[in-house]
Amino acid sequence: HVLEGHSAASALTAGKSVFNAGEDIKGLIQAAESAPAKSAGNVLIRTVDAGRAIGVDRNTGQLTSVYTVITKNTGELITAYPGRP
């Protein structure tokens, strides 16, 4: 889902936040595992600042260094995208 909907290489990104071409999305997701999480029901939401522009936030239309990773409480990935929740 993340690569299909939020990768610059995908054709299915209309109206969505998009990671820059060539961005190591898997690496960003793995780096977020150690970030503090907010619990929202049965999901965990992590918002991380990568310290560099990693994509475009659909809400602002601007480049952003912040990205969000949402997982189930069990750790299973739901989604990840540039920007804040």
Side-chain angles (χ1 to χ4, degrees):
H1 162 80
V2 175
L3 293 178
E4 289 177 357
H6 301 286
S7 169
S10 174
L12 304 174
T13 60
K16 298 181 181 179
S17 295
V18 179
F19 287 102
N20 291 335
E23 190 61 59
D24 180 10
I25 298 170
K26 183 177 178 181
L28 290 172
I29 292 168
Q30 289 172 337
E33 290 175 0
S34 61
K38 283 186 185 178
S39 181
N42 62 350
V43 300
L44 298 173
I45 302 170
R46 293 176 173 85
T47 304
V48 182
D49 190 332
R52 59 186 168 70
I54 50 88
V56 176
D57 181 341
R58 75 176 177 135
N59 293 319
T60 65
Q62 302 294 316
L63 283 173
T64 184
S65 62
V66 175
Y67 64 103
T68 300
V69 177
I70 301 175
T71 61
K72 293 182 180 178
N73 286 336
T74 58
E76 183 181 349
L77 180 66
I78 296 173
T79 192
Y81 54 86
R84 298 185 183 279

